[in-house]
Amino acid sequence: MIANTGLRNTGASARIQVVIAVLCFASLAPRAFGQQADSDPLPSWNDGTTKKAILEFVHVATQKDGPKYVPPEQRIATFDLDGTLWVEHPMYTQVVYCLDRVKAVVRHRPHLKDLAPFKTVLSGNHEAIAKLAWNDIDKIVEAAISGMTVEAFRAEVSQWLATARHPRFKRPYTDLAYQPMIEVLHYLRANGFKTYIVTGSGQDFVRVFAEKVYGIPPEQVVGSAGETKYGYGKSGEPLLFKEPKLLLNDNNAGKPEGIHLVIGRRPCAACGNSSGDRQMLEYTGAGDRARMMMLVLHDDATREYAYGPADGLPKSRVGTFPQALYDEAQQKGWHVIHMKTDWKRVFAFEK
Amino acid sequence: MIANTGLRNTGASARIQVVIAVLCFASLAPRAFGQQADSDPLPSWNDGTTKKAILEFVHVATQKDGPKYVPPEQRIATFDLDGTLWVEHPMYTQVVYCLDRVKAVVRHRPHLKDLAPFKTVLSGNHEAIAKLAWNDIDKIVEAAISGMTVEAFRAEVSQWLATARHPRFKRPYTDLAYQPMIEVLHYLRANGFKTYIVTGSGQDFVRVFAEKVYGIPPEQVVGSAGETKYGYGKSGEPLLFKEPKLLLNDNNAGKPEGIHLVIGRRPCAACGNSSGDRQMLEYTGAGDRARMMMLVLHDDATREYAYGPADGLPKSRVGTFPQALYDEAQQKGWHVIHMKTDWKRVFAFEK
């Protein structure tokens, strides 16, 4: 406790004074002392302008008599997932899942196995797979995440997450959640914020692990969503089938649109890492009272990856963060999180 | 306090004993006494099988060691709106709003004023208006709730709700919320349930008053929803425009589909009043652990209305409750709330 009060280096006489002071105050204000002892809610963040900005935002938003006070019911914070809350390289996790599912897909629909792009995926030719166009990937995703009940899908994703490993980190994908961001989510919730994931990835896919990994329940996951169709199973039991028809494309302008559909309020805090998050940040920034908009910049090739305006991978297939977005952030006062310098550690498994 | 403990009619001697008992126990167990004093969470309900079933459901669902315990995160309760939480006669409130808005609609889009069904509405011919087909009403609704920003829509609805009066009760529509159902919502929330409105009416329309009237925030309103389109205002400010394109028809099978889209969990309690709620109740009933499915039966022409299998209005344009639904409820153990006998009072304004 004393170490955290900044009094470690005082002499013996001062220490006695401190002990007396503690004894005197402890009975009067034990709670205040307790708070001071656990005072850093963001231990995985280095001290710096970004950490300071987060602390300052929460302070201003929750200061009841302050000019920028945000009433509890309006404390909505929205976070992109891929590249913002976990690793998105070398490919969005949901896409990796869908590529892995192609074998199972063609077992149920054999006519697909000789058709592009399924044939390419089944060939195992990594170079050809890496060159698939986005509309081919969309076809694969659509086939892999439809045609079953929502329960069957949930079970398949759970099983995959338990066994699949990231090619570089050799760990389950869910281990690759960014510890500093988990701390931000906790810190916001501890201050009355409702935290949401707002992702271009599939809503049902993300709901499988969001509660366990981020403490975000299914009803607070907004994502790209296909239609479901209500029907009945063999024993007449009611079921929801996942249909191959896109209902909500939760990217770019689709993010504020999805936020309106599912949440119905404008967020006061939003965080992303790419052009797909631009409109969400812009929409958030246009509200009144306290606001916080942030973008994660991947500039740490050693601990994670470096792409976007930082350096490396200019033709990255994920997380497009053009110079124009960086400039817009500077101009509008959106905070850029520099992974390399802002984060003391990236993952929970780091020492 | 004493009145509620059932001791009002005791004699003077017994009263003294009660006072002594209160004085003795007050210091030992003030909290238990407080609970006992306010022990009826459903004061607007008559004692009977329905009230007992609600109390029993909450007891079973929250009994931690019980076989049907529902963990807090799974305590999702969904309620239809029209005819379940407020009056739907003689017409759904949103439709009344849209008919009232036709004059404003044709001011902005003058070409509509000579076209059916707008011409009929503008004629003021009540008989002709009452005969409009559902697809005509859909056209009116679509025109009245699109073509403006979500903020402008919210302001228009607020203003209308403040001034419009129900033709029979001569009161604001929001006064016509059923007090017994408000008590059920409160009681469920006090026991860790998240309460949702799941309505065929427009999501954005209902969000305007749901928090104030029912304590249900915008993000817990699932309703029929049109698309919104992200764009910019004259000063470049980001805006969401309401488009005339239906995204979610939250009726019948659309209710469990909408629940999956917005909530992503199966409810353990659901309440409706018509065929449009059948699938929601069926879907809810197919889950495990404690379940409660209820249907409000309008059998009270004196205090409210009588329609459905009860009597009266067989060709009612709202709240279709056919005999087959009544029979299904009996067969499946869904509780039928008999407004006439189950409710001590219907509205908060009753004495």
Side-chain angles (χ1 to χ4, degrees):
Chain A
M1 276 177 75
I2 289 172
N4 276 343
T5 60
L7 294 166
R8 181 182 278 182
N9 298 322
T10 57
S13 147
R15 258 204 299 274
I16 291 166
Q17 286 179 336
V18 169
V19 170
I20 292 168
V22 168
L23 289 173
C24 290
F25 280 98
S27 62
L28 295 173
R31 230 174 269 175
F33 257 85
Q35 278 173 356
Q36 202 172 357
D38 311 43
S39 64
D40 189 356
L42 304 173
S44 298
W45 289 73
N46 288 315
D47 290 331
T49 51
T50 317
K51 178 172 178 172
K52 202 177 154 192
I54 299 168
L55 297 171
E56 178 68 12
F57 163 71
V58 170
H59 174 72
V60 170
T62 58
Q63 207 183 3
K64 200 150 189 180
D65 301 324
K68 296 194 166 185
Y69 175 70
V70 180
E73 71 275 10
Q74 289 177 32
R75 292 184 201 159
I76 302 288
T78 55
F79 290 78
D80 169 56
L81 174 70
D82 298 296
T84 299
L85 294 180
W86 74 355
V87 172
E88 65 181 349
H89 258 284
M91 183 41 80
Y92 301 125
T93 308
Q94 185 189 241
V95 174
V96 181
Y97 167 77
C98 292
L99 291 169
D100 280 2
R101 288 290 303 167
V102 166
K103 277 185 190 167
V105 167
V106 298
R107 260 202 308 278
H108 291 286
R109 280 168 274 178
H111 69 283
L112 293 176
K113 80 175 195 302
D114 298 318
L115 294 177
F118 303 94
K119 196 178 173 179
T120 309
V121 177
L122 292 169
S123 74
N125 180 338
H126 291 292
E127 209 170 313
I129 295 169
K131 280 184 187 159
L132 284 174
W134 270 120
N135 64 344
D136 282 330
I137 290 176
D138 285 345
K139 280 181 202 162
I140 292 163
V141 170
E142 192 178 275
I145 67 169
S146 67
M148 75 287 283
T149 66
V150 297
E151 280 83 6
F153 177 74
R154 197 180 299 139
E156 283 168 10
V157 174
S158 288
Q159 199 182 357
W160 183 83
L161 286 171
T163 52
R165 294 292 178 270
H166 187 276
R168 171 175 159 192
F169 295 100
K170 316 292 181 201
R171 285 180 170 272
Y173 286 89
T174 48
D175 278 10
L176 304 180
Y178 302 137
Q179 180 59 25
M181 297 307 287
I182 290 177
E183 290 168 8
V184 172
L185 293 170
H186 278 280
Y187 179 50
L188 288 172
R189 289 197 292 265
N191 284 281
F193 286 80
K194 225 170 181 173
T195 55
Y196 283 82
I197 289 175
V198 177
T199 173
S201 280
Q203 185 169 285
D204 283 348
F205 182 80
V206 177
R207 280 169 167 170
V208 177
F209 57 87
E211 190 149 33
K212 195 174 164 194
V213 177
Y214 301 108
I216 294 180
E219 62 269 29
Q220 284 164 229
V221 175
V222 184
S224 294
E227 283 190 3
T228 56
K229 192 171 178 179
Y230 188 75
Y232 299 91
K234 282 177 187 164
S235 320
E237 73 279 17
L239 294 170
L240 284 167
F241 293 93
K242 288 178 70 65
E243 297 286 295
K245 192 181 166 195
L246 190 67
L247 191 69
L248 177 67
N249 181 351
D250 199 48
N251 275 304
N252 306 303
K255 290 210 173 191
E257 290 161 5
I259 287 169
H260 181 72
L261 178 69
V262 177
I263 313 178
R265 303 192 198 257
R266 191 195 298 262
C268 60
C271 186
N273 79 305
S274 79
S275 297
D277 303 309
R278 204 194 70 77
Q279 288 90 338
M280 175 168 77
L281 268 63
E282 182 180 63
Y283 180 62
T284 302
D288 55 7
R289 302 175 182 250
R291 304 277 111 189
M292 178 174 70
M293 285 67 68
M294 301 196 294
L295 283 166
V296 176
L297 178 70
H298 296 258
D299 60 355
D300 191 339
T302 309
R303 296 187 300 177
E304 206 245 10
Y305 293 95
Y307 52 101
D311 62 19
L313 310 166
K315 291 193 176 178
S316 166
R317 297 190 61 164
V318 297
T320 320
F321 191 149
Q323 187 62 41
L325 183 62
Y326 192 88
D327 296 343
E328 185 175 0
Q330 299 295 326
Q331 185 231 321
K332 292 187 173 166
W334 300 351
H335 306 291
V336 175
I337 299 167
H338 293 257
M339 189 176 267
K340 191 171 181 173
T341 47
D342 279 324
W343 290 358
K344 204 174 281 179
R345 59 175 185 168
V346 177
F347 305 113
F349 58 78
E350 286 171 35
K351 293 235 166 125
Chain B
M1 274 177 75
I2 290 172
N4 276 343
T5 61
L7 292 166
R8 179 182 280 184
N9 297 323
T10 57
S13 148
R15 257 205 300 274
I16 290 165
Q17 284 179 337
V18 169
V19 169
I20 292 168
V22 168
L23 289 173
C24 289
F25 281 97
S27 61
L28 295 173
R31 231 172 268 176
F33 254 85
Q35 279 171 355
Q36 200 173 358
D38 313 289
S39 65
D40 188 354
L42 304 173
S44 298
W45 290 72
N46 288 314
D47 291 329
T49 50
T50 316
K51 178 172 179 172
K52 203 177 153 193
I54 299 168
L55 297 171
E56 179 68 13
F57 163 71
V58 170
H59 174 73
V60 170
T62 58
Q63 206 183 3
K64 202 151 189 178
D65 301 323
K68 296 195 165 185
Y69 175 70
V70 180
E73 71 275 11
Q74 289 177 31
R75 291 186 201 156
I76 302 288
T78 55
F79 290 77
D80 169 57
L81 174 70
D82 298 297
T84 300
L85 294 181
W86 73 354
V87 173
E88 64 182 352
H89 258 285
M91 183 40 80
Y92 302 125
T93 309
Q94 185 189 240
V95 174
V96 181
Y97 167 77
C98 292
L99 291 168
D100 280 3
R101 287 290 304 167
V102 166
K103 276 187 190 166
V105 167
V106 300
R107 259 203 307 278
H108 291 287
R109 280 167 276 180
H111 69 284
L112 293 176
K113 79 176 197 300
D114 298 319
L115 295 178
F118 302 93
K119 196 177 173 180
T120 308
V121 177
L122 292 169
S123 75
N125 180 338
H126 291 290
E127 209 170 313
I129 295 169
K131 282 185 187 156
L132 284 174
W134 269 121
N135 64 344
D136 282 330
I137 290 177
D138 285 345
K139 280 181 201 161
I140 292 163
V141 171
E142 191 178 276
I145 66 169
S146 67
M148 73 288 283
T149 67
V150 297
E151 279 84 6
F153 177 75
R154 198 181 297 139
E156 282 168 10
V157 174
S158 288
Q159 199 182 357
W160 183 83
L161 287 171
T163 53
R165 294 292 179 270
H166 187 276
R168 172 175 159 191
F169 295 99
K170 316 292 182 203
R171 285 179 170 272
Y173 286 88
T174 48
D175 278 11
L176 303 179
Y178 303 138
Q179 180 59 25
M181 297 307 287
I182 290 176
E183 291 168 7
V184 172
L185 293 171
H186 278 281
Y187 179 49
L188 289 172
R189 289 196 292 266
N191 284 280
F193 286 80
K194 225 170 181 172
T195 56
Y196 283 82
I197 289 175
V198 177
T199 173
S201 279
Q203 184 170 284
D204 282 348
F205 182 79
V206 178
R207 279 170 168 169
V208 176
F209 57 87
E211 191 149 32
K212 195 174 164 195
V213 177
Y214 301 108
I216 294 181
E219 61 269 29
Q220 285 164 227
V221 175
V222 185
S224 294
E227 283 190 3
T228 56
K229 192 171 177 179
Y230 188 76
Y232 300 91
K234 283 179 186 161
S235 320
E237 72 280 16
L239 294 171
L240 282 168
F241 293 93
K242 288 177 71 65
E243 297 286 293
K245 191 180 167 194
L246 190 67
L247 191 68
L248 177 67
N249 182 351
D250 199 49
N251 275 304
N252 307 304
K255 290 211 172 191
E257 291 161 5
I259 287 170
H260 181 72
L261 179 69
V262 177
I263 312 177
R265 301 192 202 257
R266 191 194 298 264
C268 60
C271 186
N273 79 306
S274 80
S275 297
D277 303 308
R278 204 194 69 79
Q279 289 89 338
M280 175 169 76
L281 269 63
E282 182 180 62
Y283 180 63
T284 302
D288 56 6
R289 301 174 182 252
R291 305 277 111 189
M292 179 173 71
M293 285 68 68
M294 301 196 294
L295 284 165
V296 177
L297 178 70
H298 296 258
D299 59 355
D300 191 339
T302 310
R303 297 187 298 176
E304 207 245 11
Y305 293 95
Y307 52 102
D311 63 20
L313 310 167
K315 292 195 176 175
S316 165
R317 297 190 61 164
V318 298
T320 318
F321 191 150
Q323 187 63 42
L325 182 64
Y326 192 86
D327 297 343
E328 185 175 1
Q330 299 297 323
Q331 185 232 321
K332 293 187 173 166
W334 301 349
H335 307 290
V336 175
I337 299 167
H338 293 258
M339 187 175 268
K340 192 171 183 173
T341 47
D342 279 325
W343 290 356
K344 204 173 281 179
R345 59 175 183 168
V346 177
F347 306 113
F349 57 77
E350 286 171 35
K351 294 245 165 114

